[in-house]
Amino acid sequence: MLQVSYIRDNKEQVLARLAVKNFKQTELVDEILALDDNRKQTQNRLDSTSAEANAAAKRIGELMRTGQKEEAEKVKSQTGTWKEDIKRFGEELTNIEQELHQKLVQLPNLPHSSVPVGITPEENEVVLEHGEKPTLPENALPHWELAAKYNLIDFELGVKITGAGFPVYKGKGAKLQRALISFFLDEAEKAGYSEVMLPLLVNEASGFGTGQLPDKEGQMYFVGQDNLYLIPTAEVPVTNLYRDVILKADELPVKNTGYTPCFRREAGSYGAHVRGLNRLHQFDKVEIVQVVHPDTSYSVLEEMSSHVQGLLQKLGLPYRVLRLCGGDMSFTASLTYDMETWSAAQQRWLEVSSVSNFETYQANRLKLRFRNAEGKTQLAHTLNGSALALPRIVATLLENNQTENGIKIPEVLVPYTRFEYID
């Protein structure tokens, strides 16, 4: 959530950056500033009236102590109006603050100055490509056929148990999942992240804190009886560990990692491009999250991007890094890198990770602060990234590594899988 003071001091810049994000409701900016003016005026009226009432109360006390009861009663007769005004101004202030809050949460985060202008994914900027795309034989199979051939994943059984998008992993398919999760967590630990195990359900305050609510409620599974949401990503519970927390400056950066299943409704996702593991309602993911000093957040973003790229390199997967254009970014991010692996059987790029800097946007919602060198509290910056999401990693590993002898397991995973081939 943006801060009103920043909007007021940088109105033209705010409008220009909102345009980069293709945000059309720019009238909200003037409405927010007008409401804030009204809030200040009402607060001043409340404060001055309260001051008059307090002064009158002291005056009455002095008159009573000096025996001037008649004069005290005259002053007391005037306090009724002040009480009514204080109540009225207080109610007006509450209503204004609520309306101001509702309008503020409708403004997305401002994109960083390096974010390219654009609306569609085709306008994202390719930062780099790494590795050679494998050439597969003519009879190469896509991952959903490989999964059936080697009895790794049963999509139909998942439909029977739950519905489409909830696959059942079997045998070596299940072991490959577990191997990837352990590998990603071990690599995160080597990079200085502390592992946490997290609830898979969160309350509305947690969803609001990281920006999923009210923006993405349509994509989240809601447990109505308990007013809880199944998590769409571990980002939500990990970051909310620090909601309403004031950290010490020497505690930064905070680095956490967590594995969780993730749940997304993915409403409206149909077609061949979402077949198999390409898009699921339930999937596994390892997330990395950092809370950092504002001065270091963009260098940390590059560090996190490098960490994810290192995982892809160790798995031997060709990949590319995209800097997302303004129109393709999330509501909450200031700058996002997407990592995509090349699916040799499908002949297309598949997104496997997003790494984002949210600057103070989440921290302001979370009231996540630190005490700076001057002893004053200051909003921290938050960042997170997938390191990694498993479904499309599994898809590209199966497709790119298929051979006449079966599917070759990357060397770094063999200590975890305890087999070198799926055959």
Side-chain angles (χ1 to χ4, degrees), residues 34-310:
L35 277 169
D36 190 49
D37 287 337
N38 195 2
R39 180 194 63 79
K40 290 178 180 177
Q41 291 168 5
T42 305
Q43 183 70 64
N44 288 337
R45 292 191 193 103
L46 177 60
D47 291 344
S48 62
T49 305
S50 297
E52 288 180 10
N54 289 336
K58 290 181 181 178
R59 175 67 176 153
I60 291 167
E62 291 172 0
L63 291 170
M64 292 295 288
R65 281 195 299 273
T66 57
Q68 302 177 64
K69 293 183 180 180
E70 185 175 337
E71 187 65 24
E73 289 299 324
K74 288 180 182 179
V75 177
K76 191 181 294 185
S77 66
Q78 300 170 10
T79 60
T81 301
W82 286 322
K83 288 179 181 177
E84 291 175 4
D85 287 344
I86 289 170
K87 181 181 178 182
R88 176 165 56 86
F89 291 144
E91 291 172 350
E92 287 179 9
L93 185 61
T94 298
N95 292 335
I96 292 167
E97 288 174 340
Q98 289 175 348
E99 187 178 358
L100 179 60
H101 177 79
Q102 290 304 316
K103 290 189 182 296
L104 275 171
V105 299
Q106 294 177 53
L107 284 182
N109 199 0
L110 302 179
H112 186 261
S113 59
S114 66
V115 170
V117 175
I119 299 174
T120 66
E122 289 70 31
E123 296 169 280
N124 293 333
E125 176 188 345
V126 178
V127 177
L128 63 87
E129 285 191 25
H130 183 276
E132 294 185 9
K133 299 176 182 177
T135 301
L136 300 181
E138 290 184 4
N139 62 348
L141 301 175
H143 71 270
W144 53 86
E145 293 186 26
L146 291 167
K149 178 180 178 179
Y150 294 104
N151 197 26
L152 304 174
I153 306 168
D154 195 322
F155 294 99
E156 294 305 316
L157 192 54
V159 172
K160 171 186 172 181
I161 295 170
T162 308
F166 294 88
V168 173
Y169 297 88
K170 302 165 70 176
K172 288 187 175 180
K175 290 180 179 178
L176 178 58
Q177 287 280 114
R178 180 155 50 90
L180 283 164
I181 292 165
S182 296
F183 170 63
F184 294 153
L185 287 173
D186 286 351
E187 291 298 304
E189 183 180 8
K190 291 176 186 175
Y193 291 88
S194 298
E195 184 177 349
V196 289
M197 296 190 71
L198 305 150
L200 303 184
L201 290 156
V202 293
N203 55 30
E204 184 177 351
S206 294
F208 174 79
T210 45
Q212 278 68 31
L213 298 175
D215 180 51
K216 294 185 177 67
E217 60 264 64
Q219 291 296 318
M220 296 171 71
Y221 285 99
F222 180 56
V223 184
Q225 186 173 352
D226 300 301
N227 292 322
L228 297 173
Y229 294 83
L230 283 167
I231 62 168
T233 166
E235 165 200 346
V236 182
V238 174
T239 314
N240 271 278
L241 293 172
Y242 302 95
R243 174 155 45 95
D244 297 319
V245 169
I246 300 176
L247 296 164
K248 297 175 182 176
D250 60 8
E251 292 180 291
L252 300 177
V254 173
K255 302 173 68 173
N256 284 319
T257 185
Y259 152 70
T260 64
C262 304
F263 305 87
R264 298 182 187 177
R265 294 185 63 243
E266 298 288 5
S269 297
Y270 305 102
H273 68 289
V274 297
R275 192 171 179 183
L277 295 172
N278 289 345
R279 185 155 296 173
L280 300 175
H281 294 306
Q282 178 182 328
F283 60 95
D284 293 319
K285 183 154 71 85
V286 172
E287 192 82 358
I288 52 174
V289 175
Q290 292 206 39
V291 180
V292 305
H293 192 287
D295 292 347
T296 65
S297 66
Y298 280 96
S299 62
V300 169
L301 180 66
E302 299 301 324
E303 167 202 312
M304 294 173 73
S305 172
S306 296
H307 175 77
V308 174
Q309 292 179 55

Side-chain angles (χ1 to χ4, degrees), residues 337-375:
Y337 292 122
D338 270 8
M339 283 69 170
E340 299 179 333
T341 56
W342 177 251
S343 164
Q346 298 178 67
Q347 287 292 293
R348 65 191 189 94
W349 293 100
L350 300 177
E351 179 197 331
V352 293
S353 176
S354 285
V355 182
S356 299
N357 186 352
F358 303 95
E359 295 190 358
T360 61
Y361 194 85
Q362 290 182 334
N364 194 26
R365 287 171 169 241
L366 295 158
K367 295 182 172 56
L368 166 52
R369 294 157 290 173
F370 70 98
R371 204 170 295 282
N372 61 26
E374 291 74 38

